[in-house]
Amino acid sequence: MRRPFIAGNWKMNTTRAEGVALATELAKAAESITKCDIAVCPPAVYVDAVGAAIRGSKVGLGAQNMYHEPSGAFTGEISAAMLVDLGCRYVILGHSERRHVFHETDADINKKVHAALKAGLTPIVCVGELLAEREAGTTRHVVETQCNGSLAGVTAEQLAGLVIAYEPVWAIGTGKVATPAQAEDVHRDLRAWIASRFDAATAEKVRIQYGGSVKASNAPELLSQPNIDGALVGGASLKAADFLGIVAGV
Ligand code: PGA
């Protein structure tokens, strides 16, 4: 049985004080959460402070991005080891904003996936189609191509431990959520892709989150789909009550 996993991607939001307050509230509430894993991914500059606020709690710590090189002259970048040093367990890689605003390619993301795994981080690898791609009927091809590129060279054992987030780009931050059937179709295809590229046992283990305008009201139906193993939450992760409302839907 895959344990559901709900992660909050705070993106470029909150002040330090707001982030710490939100994390503190979640850490307290998490004491009574038993049915799923939860994590927060604050902006990199607040990872340390937020990590201190959730230390010893059931809330996991993640980052939103990293660079693949271990150290050196890479001005402005952050390594996997630095994230581990601050207590991170997860790192979001290949988020649609990284792909589309910062032009990260599958090859870039693949290097980051290998560096994260090597450092002992659990990557949350994001894939998802643009609206035009969905309308052209190429969703399956797009997400499989992203998986082939982003996950190249990953072993079955490594894959079993990582997290894939399916986030249709047209549903991110738009309020337009994929229907549970639309999301489940892609999640089922992704699991079939894993089974064909690796094996059925590995496919059964990989957690596949859905992301894109998830909120408390639509979470229960999405999360009840057989191949949806949790959610990657943007906007609704910025208020404890909203995020906990989603967690309650597991
Ligand atoms: P959203 O963002 O929940 O605000 O749509 C999701 C994401 O980008 O991970």
Side-chain angles (χ1 to χ4, degrees):
M1 247 330 249
R2 295 178 298 273
R3 186 169 162 81
F5 176 34
I6 315 283
N9 172 10
W10 296 359
K11 307 192 181 183
M12 199 171 72
N13 292 298
T14 79
T15 62
R16 184 180 192 276
E18 285 164 356
V20 168
L22 173 55
T24 304
E25 205 175 333
L26 292 177
K28 197 150 178 269
E31 283 168 27
S32 58
I33 294 170
T34 54
K35 289 198 208 145
C36 65
D37 294 335
I38 61 171
V40 291
C41 303
V45 288
Y46 302 144
V47 164
D48 203 11
V50 167
I54 60 177
R55 194 153 298 140
S57 80
K58 288 184 183 168
V59 184
L61 186 63
Q64 301 172 13
N65 183 33
M66 50 163 262
Y67 193 56
H68 68 271
E69 291 287 351
S71 63
F74 303 102
T75 302
E77 295 298 327
I78 294 167
S79 73
M82 290 171 183
L83 299 179
V84 171
D85 195 17
L86 296 187
C88 282
R89 175 158 174 208
Y90 306 99
V91 61
I92 300 171
L93 296 176
H95 186 275
S96 106
E97 286 139 27
R98 299 298 321 168
R99 290 176 182 271
H100 299 291
V101 184
F102 300 101
H103 309 294
E104 277 186 22
T105 65
D106 286 321
D108 297 328
I109 297 157
N110 185 240
K111 284 188 219 156
K112 295 182 183 201
V113 167
H114 284 284
L117 288 168
K118 199 169 166 202
L121 290 166
T122 297
I124 300 174
V125 180
C126 304
V127 297
E129 82 288 2
L130 298 163
L131 182 58
E133 292 167 335
R134 172 159 287 267
E135 287 173 349
T138 58
T139 297
R140 185 175 178 166
H141 174 73
V142 168
V143 298
E144 288 188 2
T145 302
Q146 289 171 333
C147 283
N148 273 317
S150 307
L151 300 172
V154 168
T155 66
E157 198 186 345
Q158 288 172 323
L159 189 68
L162 64 69
V163 178
I164 295 175
Y166 167 58
E167 301 202 298
V169 179
W170 47 272
I172 296 177
T174 57
K176 270 191 228 156
V177 64
T179 65
Q182 281 175 323
E184 170 63 15
D185 274 353
V186 180
H187 283 235
R188 198 190 309 107
D189 285 347
L190 284 169
R191 209 173 296 289
W193 174 86
I194 300 167
S196 72
R197 285 291 307 263
F198 296 86
D199 54 82
T202 304
E204 278 310 305
K205 286 184 195 147
V206 179
R207 293 193 286 187
I208 309 177
Q209 296 176 318
Y210 168 78
S213 300
V214 176
K215 49 186 192 225
S217 59
N218 58 34
E221 215 190 331
L222 284 163
L223 296 172
S224 69
Q225 303 301 309
N227 287 290
I228 300 185
D229 309 313
L232 184 56
V233 186
S237 71
L238 294 171
K239 287 208 178 99
D242 292 349
F243 189 68
L244 293 168
I246 293 168
V247 172
V250 173

